[in-house]
Amino acid sequence: MQETDYTEFTEITPSADIETARHGGRAKCLQRLIRLGLPVPKTVALSFDAVHRIAVGQMPDKSALLSLFGATPLVSVRPSSGDPDWGGPGAILNIGMNAATHAALAEKLGQEAADRLYLRFIQSYAIHVARLDPDRFEEEACNHETIRAALLAYEEETDSPFPQAPERQLGQVLRSMARAWEGTTARLLRQAKGAPADAGLGLVVQEMALGIGPVESGSGVIQYVDSTTGLHQITGRYLSQSQGRAALKQGEGVLYLTRDPRGRSLEEQCPEIFEELKRWGDICRQRLREEMQIEFTIEGGTLHVLDAVRVQRTSRAAVRIAVSLADDFIISREEALARIEPRALNELLHSQVDPRGARDRFARGIPASPGAATGKIVFGSAAAQASAARGEPCILVRRETSPEDIRGMHAAAGVLTERGGMTSHAAVIARGLGLPCVVGVSEMRLKARDGQLVAADGRVFHEGDIITIDGTSGEALVGAVDMLEPALDDAFRTLLSWAEEVCDIGVRANADTPADAQTARNFGADGIGLCRTEHMFFEEDRLTVMREMIFAKTEQDRRAALDQLLPMQRADFTRLFEIMQGLPVCIRLFDPPLHEFLPHSREGMSELADALDLPLSDVIRRVEFLSEFNPMLGMRGVRLGVTVPEIYEMQARAIFEATIEARRKGDPVVPEIMIPLVSAMREVELVKTRIDAVAAAVRTERGTDFDYRLGVMVETPRAALRAGDIVQHAAFLSFGTNDLTQMTYGLSRDDAGRFMGSYVQQGVFPEDPFHTLDVDGVGELLLIGAGRARNARPEVVLSICGEHGGNAESIAFCRNAGFDYVSCSPFRVPVARLAAAHLAIAAAAKLAC
Ligand code: PEP
Ligand code: MG
């Protein structure tokens, strides 16, 4: 606990006892500037404790404080909190202005300048300190008359004359700033930005460096990098006052900083001062190890530095600045990595809605896949494909998506669904494709048959209307909006390569297609941790064969259909192995219920009857037969593998033949085969025996040997509890936390979106457990499963491949539990990699302590 600081105030000198934790960031930064020799006017710091005492009525010795600033003090007061992002009261300038100073300054600087200083002070004091109605203090013109009017207005409003004594002015300013900080609204606002409830406010009192005078005078800010790109470039502004107020009004007082064809520049007008500013910028960068924005004044040709703050920056700029500082050996690579918030990388990976532009929101849902996209509304996959064929970007709007929509999703620029949650079909697929997606927009009503989407406020949108979805914020917006493009530039790649070097937990990608695999490679994934093979069967040419297989009455017919699918699957896997060039590829055997491959509409069923040359009634009967009350808990995953073994046998053969094929091209492939939805050891035993037999057959047929590794997906609570038995037949276990969360909570991953918002809002769940791993419940199952598996088979490889694999908190949990790798959507690999690097850096730092 911090001890109470009874010091009333401290002049900031190089050796003064100033700490960020007691005086705030601004005070500490000013001390650093002073230590570096920057020309900072005299400054005094008041600690958090001192300011708190002011708020409760205990003033410091104001005369003693002001005496540090000479006989006629003129000072400013600025806030100095622990973090500039927490906000705080605005600065008050020119405290000490009164009738006498006004007259003296009129002599020294001219009447106009003195009038302006006095009027502006009266106005800001009246509005921000005495908290009077701003309407009465809005006068722009500065002259004797307007000053008199302002003084009169003050007196009328407060029943007392405008305070003339600098001590009284300062006291009131300090009190009002201290109280503003302690107010409930201000506290709630800063807490929302991450400030602790008891965050303190320090204040700095600084001698005014007016930037007014006959020789070149003025005020400005300068920074040395561009806030949007992070590239080295001098930007800022400088307002020259030496030309007088009249010139300023005509815009002549504005000097560009650097040589500029549009007009005069500071560089040309005051080359020495400009060079001095550049030198200070460089010194700040080297010694403060940060890109700073410097606030300065020039008074009669002399430079004063009033303050310096960290340059505001986009995530893209933050990455470039961090990499550039490390490249120049100013900070270490570890520090560069630690300076970037993993989630911030999303801004670089996807287009974003430009925060500076206007947005007209018509709906809000769950931000399921980051990035933004604009396009015409389409209500079905066929329309999405047609739109893509015309080269028109579209947004696929559905009640919810199913595997049948995959082709539509591939064709769309973004996806918006009325139902669903973080791990619903639309969300998972969209993240895999890097497609912006908003799900669970329960407030909108979809009338797909009428081609209408009705927003909560009654606005109606039709097919073809342009909308924008923002998968980062979860908003749906009317029309097209300004966008910021993704920035996968050299700085991003450099940062990622540094993260790979320090990361001590593997990061693989969930990749189903060659395109996914290529993205995974581009982002430096350590392999594929989950290839969901069923997605391969939704391609146009395969769906009919798949349906033939489902409709087969005998094993022989089924095998005949599967024989047609075999070469297609083999080609899929060969391509994946080729792209991954010897990196591990984990292929999950078929998982979904078969009825997902069947048409649901009467029209679709008639088409199928035509294609299969069957009576429509047969098709209807078969579809009805296969439909289940609760398909997610029905005939899917390993249950299909046990009861319809030919499917897994075909897949195993395709994997082995592809292995031989890819190895012939030089890649050392050892495929990993994973069995989904296991709940009992015997299931694994049965499937393993069959796969071993297929491997033996392929080895004999091809006259060549190969290895493979068989693993189990732990996604039922029972599999976690029985991991000790199951692992006897499994070289690796991968926790499928999407289904495991669904089954642990008894919470449908496709329907949870309907009430999740309300549950989180009412504190039933701290977070959406499909988004952030529930470490207390699901996490305990992970630990139990991992522990039991390791006891029985110490060399077992453990991983997580549910959507949580890309989430920083879940990665920390898995790393602590000693997992070997996490696997997530390809577009989340960079974020996961950086989060993992942060954990490794923090652990190394802890060890070094
Ligand atoms: C899971 O359940 O966590 C998983 C990765 O599989 P899927 O999302 O395909 O059910
Ligand atoms: Mg699953």
Side-chain angles (χ1 to χ4, degrees), residues 588 591 636 713 715 739 749:
R588 177 179 76 183
D591 183 38
R636 56 169 284 218
M713 220 168 151
E715 47 186 349
D739 273 311
R749 53 198 266 200

Side-chain angles (χ1 to χ4, degrees), residues 379-524:
F379 291 110
S381 280
Q385 286 172 284
S387 180
R390 292 193 300 273
E392 293 172 1
C394 64
I395 305 294
L396 178 62
V397 182
R398 303 282 286 156
R399 182 147 292 144
E400 62 201 330
T401 63
S402 69
E404 277 179 301
D405 292 310
I406 289 204
R407 274 168 287 140
M409 292 181 74
H410 271 281
V415 179
L416 178 67
T417 68
E418 187 185 321
R419 297 189 184 152
M422 276 309 283
T423 57
S424 62
H425 180 267
V428 171
I429 301 297
R431 278 198 294 277
L433 296 174
L435 209 60
C437 176
V438 178
V439 299
V441 190
S442 47
E443 63 186 29
M444 78 180 183
R445 267 178 310 123
L446 203 60
K447 298 182 176 172
R449 205 167 290 159
D450 305 338
Q452 284 185 355
L453 183 172
V454 186
D457 63 6
R459 278 189 279 184
V460 180
F461 299 85
H462 299 94
E463 189 146 59
D465 286 352
I466 301 236
I467 59 168
T468 297
I469 60 161
D470 184 345
T472 309
S473 68
E475 292 175 320
L477 312 170
V478 180
V481 300
D482 294 340
M483 296 275 193
L484 297 175
E485 291 310 313
L488 305 180
D489 52 21
D490 52 329
F492 169 79
R493 291 187 189 289
T494 305
L495 191 85
L496 216 54
S497 70
W498 293 348
E500 273 170 49
E501 278 166 26
V502 298
C503 204
D504 57 6
I505 180 169
V507 179
R508 293 200 197 176
N510 295 349
D512 309 334
T513 62
D516 292 349
Q518 196 54 59
T519 310
R521 284 288 319 214
N522 294 348
F523 290 151

Side-chain angles (χ1 to χ4, degrees), residues 216-219 238-243 248 253-255 264 269:
E216 179 56 46
S217 297
S219 57
Y238 174 71
L239 212 59
S240 174
Q241 312 251 327
S242 60
Q243 308 299 310
L248 265 182
V254 178
L255 282 193
R264 296 173 313 129
Q269 183 125 330

Side-chain angles (χ1 to χ4, degrees), residues 219-224 233-239 254-260 262-271 273-275 277-278 293-294 296 298:
S219 57
V221 289
I222 183 168
Q223 66 184 56
Y224 309 86
Q233 186 186 343
I234 290 185
T235 59
R237 61 177 189 281
Y238 174 71
L239 212 59
V254 178
L255 282 193
Y256 299 97
L257 288 170
T258 49
R259 283 172 204 282
D260 193 300
R262 291 167 294 179
R264 296 173 313 129
S265 74
L266 182 64
E267 187 180 16
E268 283 159 320
Q269 183 125 330
C270 307
I273 290 188
F274 185 72
E275 280 311 309
L277 277 168
K278 273 179 33 182
Q293 184 190 64
I294 293 179
F296 64 95
I298 300 173

